[in-house]
């Protein structure tokens, strides 16, 4: 059963954290900035046991569409990424602790393998680059590893593009080397190492 504390924790971290982190960082964002919010594929399909989590991610996806319109006049783009099954220690431990579960999950992935953190990073780089200057208000499902390899070559060290990535743990403004943590995490580095 879902408790009120469980509900509040998920809403506070996944929705409230994004709203108020972005609110604090908006004054730092200039024309041409790109805000990328981490959502999930959980809000796009019914998965037993994930109703509250999926609801919070659906709320964030709706927020992204609305913020894209509200911030368009300031020249700020807002998009979302919905990672699918990304191979991390956490997903290995939580989602496929046994080999048969891993094989069953793999059967549902057209690419034949789980996504990697690099796959997600490539999509973030693309959406925050000048190549995506016309894209705003979209939610990209990153679960088929379809990002072009050329994205790896993008560099932001000599551009005025500002990249803001929001997820339930932290927000990073990569141009100003600043971070605001929604759950106490403070870390950032500029793309050129500054």
């Amino acid at each position: 059963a879902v408790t009120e504390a469980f509900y509040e924790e998920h809403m506070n971290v996944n929705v409230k954290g994004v709203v108020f982190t972005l609110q604090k960082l908006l004054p730092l964002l200039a024309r041409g900035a790109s805000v990328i919010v981490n959502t999930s594929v959980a809000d796009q399909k019914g998965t037993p046991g994930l109703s509250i989590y999926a609801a919070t991610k659906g709320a964030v996806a709706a927020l992204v569409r609305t913020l894209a319109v509200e911030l368009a006049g300031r020249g700020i783009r807002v998009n979302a990424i919905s990672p699918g099954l990304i191979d991390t220690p956490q997903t290995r431990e939580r989602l496929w602790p046994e080999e048969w579960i891993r094989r069953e999950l793999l059967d549902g992935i057209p690419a034949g393998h789980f996504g990697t953190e690099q796959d997600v990073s490539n999509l973030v780089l693309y959406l925050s680059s000048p190549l995506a200057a016309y894209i705003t208000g979209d939610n990209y499902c990153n679960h088929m590893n379809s990002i072009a390899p050329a994205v790896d070559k993008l560099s932001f060290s000599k551009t005025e593009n500002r990249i803001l990535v929001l997820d339930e743990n932290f927000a990073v403004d990569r141009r100003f080397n600043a971070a605001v943590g929604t759950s106490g995490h403070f870390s950032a580095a500029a793309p050129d190492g500054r």
Side-chain angles (χ1 to χ4, degrees):
V2 173
T3 66
E4 193 170 335
F6 179 87
Y7 175 87
E8 285 180 3
E9 177 185 359
H10 278 72
M11 284 296 184
N12 284 342
V13 172
N14 292 341
V15 182
K16 185 178 180 181
V18 170
V19 169
F20 291 103
T21 300
L22 182 56
Q23 184 181 61
K24 292 288 185 188
L25 292 173
L26 271 176
L28 301 174
L29 299 180
R31 183 168 287 284
S34 178
V35 176
I36 300 166
V37 180
N38 191 37
T39 60
S40 172
V41 296
D43 75 311
Q44 299 167 28
K45 58 183 182 178
T47 304
L50 293 180
S51 60
I52 301 305
Y53 176 77
T56 65
K57 293 303 186 171
V60 170
L63 183 66
V64 165
R65 289 187 301 271
T66 303
L67 287 173
V69 175
E70 290 177 355
L71 298 175
R74 291 184 49 191
I76 297 172
R77 295 179 298 112
V78 183
N79 289 292
I81 296 176
S82 293
L85 291 171
I86 305 301
D87 189 5
T88 67
Q90 182 181 7
T91 55
R92 283 192 295 272
E93 180 183 320
R94 287 178 146 179
L95 299 180
W96 60 83
E98 298 177 34
E99 181 61 24
W100 71 269
I101 298 171
R102 187 185 77 76
R103 283 194 310 271
E104 191 170 304
L105 290 170
L106 270 175
D107 286 344
I109 300 173
H113 60 89
F114 296 110
T116 66
E117 293 169 346
Q118 186 64 51
D119 292 321
V120 177
S121 297
N122 288 344
L123 184 54
V124 168
L125 284 174
Y126 170 72
L127 288 173
S128 56
S129 78
L131 297 174
Y134 192 65
I135 298 172
T136 191
D138 285 328
N139 186 351
Y140 288 86
C141 296
N142 185 260
H143 55 82
M144 291 177 57
N145 307 310
S146 61
I147 303 304
V151 172
D152 283 329
K153 308 295 184 211
L154 295 174
S155 171
F156 297 95
S157 60
K158 296 180 181 175
T159 180
E160 291 300 306
N161 233 15
R162 294 165 68 177
I163 307 162
L164 176 66
V165 180
L166 297 177
D167 76 7
E168 57 267 18
N169 296 315
F170 63 92
V172 180
D173 180 332
R174 293 176 115 180
R175 179 164 178 239
F176 285 101
N177 199 23
V180 175
T182 57
S183 53
H185 297 92
F186 295 89
S187 61
D192 60 2
R194 288 183 284 136

